[in-house]
Amino acid sequence: MLLKLIAGLTDRANRFQAAIKLAGYFNCSYLFIFIIDQEIGILLPAPGFPPTLPDGRAWQAFINSCPATGHYSGCLPFPESNNMLAATGISGPERSIAILLGGSPSEKEIEPLQAVLPMLVDLFTQELLLSTAKTRVALADKAVAKAEKLAATMDVMRLHLKDALIQKEKDKKAIEELMKKKDEFMNVASHELKTPITTMKAYLQILQKMVPPNGTASAGDFIVKANKQIVKLTGLVDDLLDVTKIYAGKMVYQFSDIDLAALIEEIVSQTQLTVQTHRIVIKNNAPVIVHGEKHRLEQVLSNFLSNAVKYSPGANEVVISSDLVNNEVKVSVRDFGIGIPPDQQEYVFDRFFRVQESSRKFSGLGLGLYISAEIIKRHGGSVGVESDGNGSEFYFKIPVVKVLQPA
Ligand code: ATP
Ligand code: MG
């Protein structure tokens, strides 16, 4: 009879009904079989058994409430059922089942179960192996998916973190760079402003001693020298003020039509008066009218020329040329001086920039080219430089309004 009841369990479709019949044999209300995978610590209803207990309780909650040893409300709790398996010598990671009995059976009534337990285990072994393997694969798949998701999230977080750190580092560097530039500039500016003042002071002291009674002629020399320094000082202060104006967007321009060739001639002869070391040669002077502010274009030409002279101490000539190129005029100033290293050429129009190698030898604030570039930009033009070991050529291009015909 018992064997027949056990055989009824082979039909998976009607397994639960067969299990209830078998339970009746032990005077129990139901018999529930679980598969135990001890290795990965999972316990699931065997195939053909419902996901909840017949009385509607969730089996997980019920099992959790079972004491570690002994019977519980007439049921055979798991530790004992495992012990029974162990006693038959067939318990193992993938070959265990647990049996839960409903009702209040006595020890005696469930005793025959021990004898048929090996048969029950055999019956479920195949399914058990299959189902645990499937469960493991499903669990592993789930774990892999979870791990992949986690890894992706961590990757994104890592990138965000990296970005944030890089940004922070960049901000810090930019501020440090700015502070450094400011300090350097203040240093240079105060030095540059102090030099002419000190020189002027000295000349004026000498003058005081000399006048009267003797040597008014040399007094005149000193006055000329003091005046030169005043001009230099005024230039420096003007440049600083221009930068402030550019920065605040308050540089005002008054445009008019200008005869550029005449302007170049004028500025060249003016500059030549103050330069004894170099001859300033006009190679070509395109007869063009441009639209601009005379004083500001003069300033650009003067900056280019004074740089050309300053940075070519070993040379004796500077060449200026004005050429018509399409609808623009290109004005270039060529010197035969120290040149600019290729990796620094792109920065020469930057505010406060000075080529490091030469900055100690030559005085300056690093503002002339920056101001020039700003002025040319406001004239709708562009600036540039070409330089090599033989010297440099600075140029600007601005639109031409009219080309004058030769008279
Ligand atoms: P300042 O503000 O008095 O003009 P500066 O001459 O140093 O000072 P810029 O005229 O702006 O400043 O020039 C920037 C830098 O470019 C210079 O410090 C110098 O290193 C480099 N430079 C400019 N013109 C020449 C040139 N013709 N040859 C070589 N280097 C030059
Ligand atoms: Mg300069």
Side-chain angles (χ1 to χ4, degrees), residues 239 302-304 306-308 310-311 354 363-369:
D239 276 359
S302 170
N303 277 335
F304 280 14
S306 62
N307 276 351
K310 179 160 68 165
Y311 297 106
R354 310 200 67 222
S363 70
L365 291 181
L367 291 178
L369 289 180

Side-chain angles (χ1 to χ4, degrees), residues 307-308 310-311 335 338-340 348 353-355 358 364-369 392 394:
N307 276 351
K310 179 160 68 165
Y311 297 106
D335 68 56
I338 60 169
I340 301 162
V348 289
F353 180 84
R354 310 200 67 222
V355 173
S358 53
L365 291 181
L367 291 178
L369 289 180
S392 310
F394 280 85

